[in-house]
Amino acid sequence: MFNRRHLTLIAAAAACLLMTAAASADPINAFSATATPSDVKPSSSTSFTVKLTNDPASPDPANRATVGIPSGFSVAPPSVQATTTATGTCGVSTWVADGALIAAQKIHLKRPGDGTTALCPGATLTVVFTATSGASEGTYAWTSELLRGASDVYTLIGTQPAVVVDGTSPTVTLGAKPPNLSNHGSPSFGFSATEPSTFECRLDAGAFAPCTSPWGYTGLADGAHTFRVKATDKAGNAGPEATYTWNIDTTGPSVSLTTTPANPSNTSSSTFGFIATETGSTFECKLDLGAFTPCTSPKAYANLAQTAHAFTVRATDPLGNTGPATTYTWTIDTTAPIASITAHPADPSNVKSPTFAFTANETSTFSCRLDGGSFATCVSPKPYSNLGDGAHSFAVRPIDAAGNIGASVGYDWTIDTSAPTATITQKPAGSSSTS
């Protein structure tokens, strides 16, 4: 159970807490610091900028500052320039050396003249200088101070500014890229580096230019191409190029027909052979107004109608490029022509050199035969000469453009060129009184 003494102690403790809270709410002199660049090469001369900003909530202006020089770094004293911004009652000023400008591995600065050249709350002191970095890689701090007087040190808000000494070049790794043989004329490349870097890309014989991942190209021509990318880290170290060479093929294969039916043809079964200009191509065929379907060579068709037909084939290469179609047209005709003899000798005839004329119901060629001879090519009219007397037989048959041979048509006749001999079968007596 609490007694009066306990309550008194509790009240005293509460009072102390209130006093502490009130004290912590009092404004304090504070500052923040930044520096650029953030990364440099080893043993390199670089212009640095360190900025010290008097916190806007600070109750007092500052009049002194120091910038610690990292171990291994050296600062050129003539390069040190320190200027302030104007805020409140403080104007723009150029601060000067506080005793020795550089001593104990620090840059020492102070305001010149009267209080109007101090660093008021909210104002920034910018210190610019040239320094040579150390030879060893690592992270180094510009340990900075802002002061009022010789000992009133302002509290740092945040961390001391730092610089990374980096002599190691980044390595680029290619990620996404087109296949070695591609049918895409607009490729894209992905890449990354072993440390934060900027990138430069180059295509073929072009120049390197800034790029970011992913990086793409459009409208590239068929053929071999080479992509290069290199990285440069924050310290300026440029790494080796990453290179990739590939081929673009957006052209489909052409098809050549190696076997076709005659045109016209006298068979209702037709076979087509074909090849493509690219190895590994697949084919699609169609007949007349049908749809394209997969096929292989040779492609055969049977029981086709007697009419005009069109066979079409196209090829697709292994990349998926489909080439132009190749078409062959032909006509199927399985009907034989019919011949007619339009002129012939009389039967019997006394003409030893007869002539025959003939025709067919469609465009045809002809073969003729006389008596027991063989059929031989002939044209209308077909003449013969010096035939002997007696019975003769002429035959002709037509052959159309498709090779259909029609039935032969014949004509038989007899040649008789001998004059008849007259015989007197009845006559009067030698002396006769008959008148």
Side-chain angles (χ1 to χ4, degrees):
M1 179 177 293
F2 290 102
N3 54 30
R4 184 182 296 276
R5 182 171 178 274
H6 290 145
L7 293 174
T8 301
L9 291 174
I10 291 172
C16 290
L17 289 173
L18 289 172
M19 291 176 64
T20 301
S24 65
D26 290 340
I28 61 171
N29 286 324
F31 79 106
S32 59
T34 61
T36 56
S38 61
D39 298 78
V40 295
K41 294 180 180 180
S43 304
S44 62
S45 179
T46 307
S47 177
F48 290 89
T49 299
V50 176
K51 293 185 177 183
L52 309 180
T53 300
N54 193 351
D55 190 72
S58 294
D60 301 307
N63 53 27
R64 282 184 170 80
T66 64
V67 177
I69 302 171
S71 175
F73 282 60
S74 61
V75 174
S79 68
V80 179
Q81 300 290 326
T83 57
T84 66
T85 57
T87 303
T89 60
C90 300
V92 175
S93 62
T94 299
W95 283 25
V96 298
D98 187 9
L101 178 62
I102 297 177
Q105 202 65 11
K106 289 183 180 181
I107 301 173
H108 299 267
L109 299 166
K110 68 177 182 180
R111 68 176 175 90
D114 59 23
T116 61
T117 61
L119 190 68
C120 282
T124 297
L125 172 66
T126 300
V127 185
V128 179
F129 53 89
T130 299
T132 300
S133 58
S136 300
E137 293 186 332
T139 301
Y140 298 85
W142 300 102
T143 305
S144 306
E145 293 179 314
L146 197 63
L147 306 94
R148 179 175 176 79
S151 58
D152 185 3
V153 180
Y154 283 49
T155 300
L156 176 66
I157 300 173
T159 58
Q160 291 285 3
V163 59
V164 175
V165 176
D166 177 11
T168 303
S169 298
T171 299
V172 176
T173 300
L174 279 173
K177 56 183 180 292
N180 181 54
L181 189 58
S182 168
N183 68 343
H184 190 41
S186 299
S188 180
F189 295 85
F191 40 87
S192 60
T194 50
E195 58 181 298
S197 301
T198 57
F199 297 93
E200 289 181 294
C201 296
R202 172 183 174 185
L203 180 67
D204 298 333
F208 276 104
C211 59
T212 56
S213 179
W215 192 253
Y217 299 92
T218 58
L220 299 190
D222 283 11
H225 295 277
T226 299
F227 172 77
R228 295 176 173 86
V229 59
K230 61 183 179 180
T232 301
D233 63 19
K234 293 181 179 180
N237 298 297
E241 299 175 9
T243 301
Y244 181 71
T245 298
W246 81 109
N247 287 272
I248 294 177
D249 175 12
T250 60
T251 303
S254 298
V255 178
S256 297
L257 293 173
T258 58
T259 304
T260 58
N263 182 34
S265 170
N266 64 355
T267 175
S268 61
S269 298
S270 299
T271 298
F272 295 86
F274 39 87
I275 57 173
T277 53
E278 293 186 44
T279 302
S281 295
T282 57
F283 299 92
E284 290 180 302
C285 300
K286 76 172 184 176
L287 182 66
D288 299 332
L289 298 178
F292 277 107
T293 58
C295 60
T296 57
S297 178
K299 175 63 176 175
Y301 297 93
N303 301 319
L304 300 183
Q306 292 194 71
T307 186
H309 294 280
F311 170 77
T312 304
V313 59
R314 65 187 181 189
T316 301
D317 65 20
L319 293 179
N321 299 305
T322 298
T326 298
T327 300
Y328 180 79
T329 58
W330 81 110
T331 298
I332 294 177
D333 176 11
T334 60
T335 301
I338 300 173
S340 300
I341 297 174
T342 58
H344 54 76
D347 181 30
S349 170
N350 65 349
V351 177
K352 298 175 70 69
S353 299
T355 297
F356 293 84
F358 38 85
T359 187
N361 64 340
E362 61 177 296
T363 301
S364 301
T365 60
F366 298 90
S367 59
C368 299
R369 182 177 70 180
L370 182 65
D371 299 333
S374 299
F375 277 103
T377 301
C378 59
V379 294
S380 178
K382 173 62 178 175
Y384 294 94
S385 61
N386 299 318
L387 300 186
D389 283 7
H392 293 279
S393 177
F394 170 79
V396 61
R397 65 186 182 189
I399 305 171
D400 65 18
N404 298 299
I405 301 175
S408 62
V409 177
Y411 180 73
D412 298 327
W413 85 109
T414 298
I415 296 176
D416 179 8
T417 61
S418 298
T421 300
T423 301
I424 298 174
T425 59
Q426 186 176 355
K427 62 181 177 178
S431 296
S432 173
S433 61
T434 302
S435 57

